[in-house]
Amino acid sequence: MSPTLLQQADALHPALSDPKNVQSTYTDPLSEVQALSGVDAAFDGSTPVIDMDGLLGPQRSEFIKQIGHACEKNGFFAVRNHGIPEMKISNMLDTARDFFHLPEEERLKFRSSDPDSLIRLVTGFQDKTRNIFVSRQSLKFHCHPVEDFKSHWPSTPPSFREKVGEYCASVRKVEVAILEAISESLGLERDYIDKLLKGHYVSINYYPACQESELDVTHGVRTHTDPTIITILMQDDVPGLQVINDDKWIDVNPIPDAVVVHVGDMLQALSNCRYKSLLHQAIVNCERERVSIASYCYPSDDSAIGPAKKLIDDDHPAIYKDFTYKEFHESMWRVKCSTAKRLDLFKAESD
Ligand code: OGA
Ligand code: NI
């Protein structure tokens, strides 16, 4: 699975990580999104913060309300006390840096243009038609259950499999707890979303400190939504993530020891648009490299992803028809459109 069409494009693109060696013929399908966002310069916004300890205590229902409110109003929130040990987080970030500091030929072994590949490296690329260099490099792989996929992961650096495996298993527990809370916040059974759940796919994102490019504009990753139920993003201490809230770009600066949860496309569909998929992007930093770990939580191929029946009534007609995740995933790779529009292909017929 790929998190964005952008990554589809750069995977298929004959790009090399050295921007000077890259050619581009690719047209950005996301231009519409950028027009839509025509907003002021970024400002430092406040991030809703949820304390996950609260979900386990007597005030669970209050915390569920907070999560529902954040999903509905902001499309994202930070989670504290998530239970992923600090050591596993720092090991994961160190391993990610070590991998991206390896010689290029070592990393390029994982390059693949097959979206179904169990692991693939995506490199930075130039989009000359838009005068943009997209600098993110990422290593994307399946990881649930860890033991089924570990053997496909890099064996260099030598601790990769162990450290990444530990992080993935921990973050999975957080995903399940958050999805239960989100189901309840929608008035659905606690395991409504868990039942749809299948995999867990991780993208280790590496943003080099500004690279030289002959193009004027360098992005980390351009504006997109994630094709997930939710995404759990863990960032190092270098700022870069921005989201659109109320038609403005907001910096989501790293909060020590917290992870950020985004609403993805699948949650938008199953909540009948009550929770909207978050438009976000990452900018680059000219002084420091940046690493983030995105955990994409997605449904099994045959899960039915229409709006939950309980959320449909005369006042809230179904906005989407029923479809399977497989259908969505195939169309995401086939149809070239902005990520914010890809769910439109699954809208219910209006009379
Ligand atoms: C992603 C993503 C943002 C970041 O991996 O889908 O949007 O800050 N990452 O790295
Ligand atoms: Ni994303």
Side-chain angles (χ1 to χ4, degrees), residues 272 307 317-322 343-351:
N272 205 25
I319 292 175
Y320 300 104
K321 57 189 178 187
D322 287 333
L343 264 181
D344 290 357
L345 302 168
F346 297 91
K347 282 209 157 150
E349 313 271 309
S350 51
D351 359 287

Side-chain angles (χ1 to χ4, degrees), residues 249-277:
W249 280 112
I250 297 180
D251 291 322
V252 183
N253 291 332
I255 300 178
D257 303 325
V259 294
V260 178
V261 177
H262 298 176
V263 172
D265 297 344
M266 298 298 95
L267 184 51
Q268 174 168 325
L270 71 87
S271 70
N272 205 25
C273 261
R274 202 158 121 191
Y275 299 165
K276 304 229 174 31
S277 196

Side-chain angles (χ1 to χ4, degrees), residues 3-4 7 136 205 207 221-222 224-228 231 233 241 262 278 280-281 294 296:
T4 69
Q7 287 146 11
R136 174 168 79 168
N205 302 315
Y207 302 91
V221 62
R222 288 182 286 187
H224 65 282
T225 62
D226 290 348
T228 55
T231 302
L233 188 80
L241 175 64
H262 298 176
L278 182 74
H280 57 285
Q281 66 181 15
Y296 303 112

